[in-house]
Amino acid sequence: MAKGIIVYITRTGNSRKLAEMISRETGFPVHEIQDLVNRKGIVGWLNAGFQASTKKATPILEQPVQLTDLDTIILVYPIWASSVCPPIRTWLNQHKEELRNQQFGVLVSNLGSPGERARVAFEREFYPLKAFEVIREKETETDKLSIIKNFVKQLGL
């Protein structure tokens, strides 16, 4: 039986809901990363896009987590500037040594732009992906669940 974890960052609560949906399908626990940067308002939104597009890491807060015994890491986060959002980048960099031999799946959420550039950005900067899916925030719950089931299937779970 696969052992894994679902790591997510959320600003609006959408990624948390998606992570919990994946958890119900896989049985994996969820692990929240808290972004310590204020992202409110237009300035926060612009700053987030700038930091993502320029590959910045930003301060985060998280509970301790054991990763070395896991075989699957699932990341859930919003697409920012077609890239890896800075808090996820920080987390991946902080846990680089522990994440060498796991398979990765990334599920990103967005407001409608294509997600393929986010996949390419992740794989160029970090690891090859076993699974990747995009869920638009406006999708119905039924469609979200269907996409998540396909995502889990891609991971071989």
Side-chain angles (χ1 to χ4, degrees):
M1 179 177 220
K3 293 182 355 184
I5 192 166
I6 302 158
V7 177
Y8 73 93
I9 179 76
T10 192
R11 202 175 65 82
T12 64
N14 187 55
S15 292
R16 177 181 300 110
K17 290 176 190 171
L18 296 173
E20 290 168 352
M21 290 174 77
I22 297 169
S23 178
R24 286 192 292 277
E25 292 296 314
T26 62
F28 293 172
V30 296
H31 179 75
E32 182 176 9
I33 299 169
Q34 295 178 354
D35 186 4
L36 296 179
V37 175
N38 182 354
R39 308 255 181 225
K40 293 182 179 169
I42 190 71
V43 172
W45 182 79
L46 290 170
N47 191 32
F50 172 76
Q51 289 175 340
S53 65
T54 57
K55 298 182 179 179
K56 302 288 185 212
T58 59
I60 62 171
L61 179 65
E62 68 166 321
Q63 296 300 313
V65 63
Q66 175 58 259
L67 301 170
T68 53
D69 295 335
L70 305 178
D71 51 42
T72 303
I73 308 295
I74 297 173
L75 302 173
V76 180
Y77 58 90
I79 295 176
W80 293 356
S82 298
S83 190
V84 177
C85 69
I88 290 290
R89 178 175 288 110
T90 300
W91 187 85
L92 287 163
N93 286 331
Q94 286 180 353
H95 295 285
K96 190 179 292 187
E97 291 301 314
E98 302 164 89
L99 299 173
R100 285 193 221 175
N101 300 312
Q102 288 90 343
Q103 70 173 358
F104 281 83
V106 168
L107 186 131
V108 291
S109 65
N110 69 7
L111 294 173
S113 60
E116 190 56 32
R117 287 176 48 194
R119 178 187 186 131
V120 170
F122 183 91
E123 289 185 319
R124 278 188 184 151
E125 192 173 350
F126 295 105
Y127 308 99
L129 293 173
K130 174 103 182 203
F132 179 83
E133 287 288 349
V134 178
I135 292 184
R136 284 155 190 77
E137 289 189 31
K138 305 274 188 219
E139 306 254 16
T140 67
E141 292 301 307
T142 301
D143 288 343
K144 288 178 183 178
L145 185 56
S146 176
I147 292 167
I148 286 170
K149 285 180 183 282
N150 184 57
F151 176 75
V152 170
K153 186 177 178 181
Q154 289 176 48
L155 286 167
L157 302 174

